[in-house]
Amino acid sequence: MYWLFETGFGVLKLVAYTLWGVVGPFCPRLKKNTILDLSADVCVITGAGRGLGRELALKFASCGATVVLWDIDEENLKTVADEINANRGDVYYYVCD
């Protein structure tokens, strides 16, 4: 039962950070001068080669998280991983279907 709580909390955390990333720029009164610290977290992102997955990977990496990227398209995946590496992020990527 404990793993269910941990998994549920992780999903809630991911949804909250994603919503904040979408809503935050449009609400300057809610925005604070502090950056979200995810340096102790690992984020696994599927479909990270393009679109929303790519943007989430870049955002989580900019907050200090170790990012694990999964995608079917190796070329796009490597491009995103190189972009994160250029910004000194910690990234691992895997081609999978």
Side-chain angles (χ1 to χ4, degrees):
M1 192 69 171
Y2 181 73
W3 66 269
L4 184 62
F5 174 75
E6 283 289 318
T7 305
F9 184 73
V11 170
L12 270 169
K13 195 173 173 182
L14 175 65
V15 169
Y17 293 158
T18 304
L19 286 175
W20 181 252
V22 172
V23 175
F26 300 104
C27 301
R29 296 179 79 192
L30 297 176
K31 199 170 184 179
K32 296 182 179 179
N33 292 331
T34 60
I35 189 165
L36 189 61
D37 181 25
L38 298 177
S39 59
D41 294 329
V42 176
C43 298
V44 177
I45 301 171
T46 59
R50 60 187 169 144
L52 182 60
R54 177 186 176 276
E55 295 302 319
L56 286 171
L58 295 173
K59 183 63 175 178
F60 286 138
S62 72
C63 292
T66 298
V67 182
V68 179
L69 309 177
W70 291 350
D71 200 279
I72 195 168
D73 185 3
E74 185 174 7
E75 186 177 318
N76 288 340
L77 194 59
K78 180 142 176 54
T79 303
V80 175
D82 289 342
E83 200 170 333
I84 292 171
N85 276 330
N87 293 322
R88 300 177 188 222
D90 193 13
V91 62
Y92 301 93
Y93 65 95
Y94 302 96
V95 178
C96 60
D97 187 7

